[in-house]
Amino acid sequence: MVNYFVLAATLSLACPASASYAFYVGKNLTKDGSVIVGGTGEEVSSHWLQLFPARDHPPNATISVGVTKDATFPGELIQIPQVNHTFRYMSMEYSDYEGFPAPLTNGGLNEKGVTVRDVWADNRDELLEMTPNPQHGLQYSDLARIVMERASTAREGVEIIGDLIKKYGESTYGGNSHLIADKDEGWLVWEMAGGKKLWAAQRLGPNDVKVLYPGYIEDFPVNFSRDPDFMGSDNIVSFAVEQGWWNETSGKPFNIFNVYGPQDPRYKARDGGYKFMSQAALENATLEMVPLTEEKMMERVRDPRIADDEAGYGQVVSLRAGIDRDMLRIWNAPTGSVSAPFVPWWLGVQSIPPEYGEHRYLTTGASSSFLNPDYQLQEASEFAGRIFKRVLYYMCSDPNKYHPIVTDVLTDFETASRVQVHGWVEKTALTMIKQGEREAARSLLTFYSHTRASEALEIGHTLNNALDGYIKLTGHWRGPIGKEINDRGEGNETVNCLVGYDPDKPKYLQPNPK
């Protein structure tokens, strides 16, 4: 039997070191009137890009959701009904997080122009202790995937999450949030631990900037069902009253973070306590860049103060009215974008190159099993994630010297992509679609994405060869002095390019720069 009191205490120390982050910028604050979303997922696992086609499902079809006994909070898988039709979507997949069953996703982009990001959001210890053993219900990846499969708007995505949690429950790892956005608005959804089917959601409008690092909601109306900017479980207020965590007679507003978030005074909803950069600092840095563009969002996502070895990939999406379903575009970096270029992909592409698909590098179980022969050619191909991880490790060995050079190379590559994308690729594809040649347009988009993906790999090789040669020839190579190739676990500093500081600790806890 798991001792949840001990586990809660352990997770309260560990969770701030494991994170993802997401940016939302409303359409009135962007240059072209798009809603722009960016972010990453931070998991040890390798990450790969995958395209999921639209599908029709037979009557009585079901899907398996939830967690197993291997999860940090053990559970049992359950079967829930599948809908008749699921939408086409693209996402970054991965194989491991907190013992959850693979494959997993933080979200992506679907053919209706709905994008999803998943970000951790800690809860108070009492909720962790209440979590049933075994727990049942949909976990964070299930919810993100189902929103991409079924939602036509961001608001509908929230309603889907709420309905599923009400019917089947939610399996937790300690508290989670989702950012869901479309061309008009965004929604932040916070799903609480504890097995009580608690959740709350807040609308993000055209003039809002929001950074989830972690996800947070503050003041929340008690009569939220009458407010179009808020949604939540029926018991989100009453449960807090029953537990003595809030009372209307206190004179204090009903604040979701204060009521359901960590009770450690070091942690604040917006002003940090978790990381070197607080949510407020990142939101302010984003506001300083208004009007936002995709290029500026890429700069935010790859900021070395937040992007390090833990960042599994980078994504930037802009959504606006009137985009054909095949022309919906997602910029994706195959590993942390501090060391990898963003490559443009469209929902109309017909395939993903094998180099950007699943490989054994950092995949769960790879060190204790041989390769399945079905994957032998896939595994024989290069892996983009590994190539750009090497760039990260070389670059961060002397960030003052190498980081500016690598960043210049990556941004120049992306600038060239944008010139081509806006100059002829999308214009030509749209002309083909208007002339009834949709398949030809898809072939063009596929050819261009594959070409730029291949050229990105060549840039990775060039950077690795140049940095490797320079470091060795100038006498700057240094071998390991210890015996442990793996880090010691959550809370320890990982490879990063933040000079003098650890990006996973608040600055006030690091008074003396290294």
Side-chain angles (χ1 to χ4, degrees), residues 10-64:
T10 302
L11 289 176
S12 69
L13 295 174
C15 281
S18 178
S20 301
Y21 52 85
F23 293 80
Y24 168 89
V25 180
K27 61 184 181 180
N28 288 351
L29 302 179
T30 63
K31 188 174 182 179
D32 66 354
S34 298
V35 168
I36 298 182
V37 172
T40 191
E42 295 194 350
E43 301 86 19
V44 176
S45 166
S46 65
H47 295 75
W48 63 92
L49 188 62
Q50 191 163 344
L51 181 65
F52 295 84
R55 292 184 59 192
D56 292 318
H57 303 277
N60 301 318
T62 62
I63 54 176
S64 178

Side-chain angles (χ1 to χ4, degrees), residues 237-295:
V237 177
S238 61
F239 185 80
V241 174
E242 292 168 6
Q243 298 299 311
W245 298 341
W246 180 80
N247 194 302
E248 196 165 9
T249 61
S250 68
K252 297 179 181 179
F254 184 65
N255 183 295
I256 295 290
F257 182 87
N258 290 344
V259 172
Y260 287 109
Q263 299 302 292
D264 189 323
R266 293 176 299 174
Y267 301 139
K268 298 179 181 179
R270 188 169 176 267
D271 295 317
Y274 294 91
K275 299 282 189 172
F276 181 80
M277 291 289 285
S278 69
Q279 301 93 308
L282 290 168
E283 288 170 358
N284 292 336
T286 306
L287 283 166
E288 290 173 1
M289 303 177 85
V290 169
L292 261 288
T293 61
E294 289 177 329
E295 179 181 8

Side-chain angles (χ1 to χ4, degrees), residues 31 53 55 60-61 105 123 127-128 145 163 180 226 235 255 314 335 373 381 405 410 418 430 454 494 499 513:
K31 188 174 182 179
R55 292 184 59 192
N60 301 318
T105 182
N123 287 138
L127 285 172
L128 275 62
R145 193 178 303 282
D163 183 60
I180 310 173
R226 303 176 189 174
N235 61 344
N255 183 295
T335 188
S381 68
I405 298 171
L410 301 181
R418 279 191 298 274
L430 278 171
S454 177
T494 57
V499 179

Side-chain angles (χ1 to χ4, degrees), residues 154 312 437:
E437 299 291 340

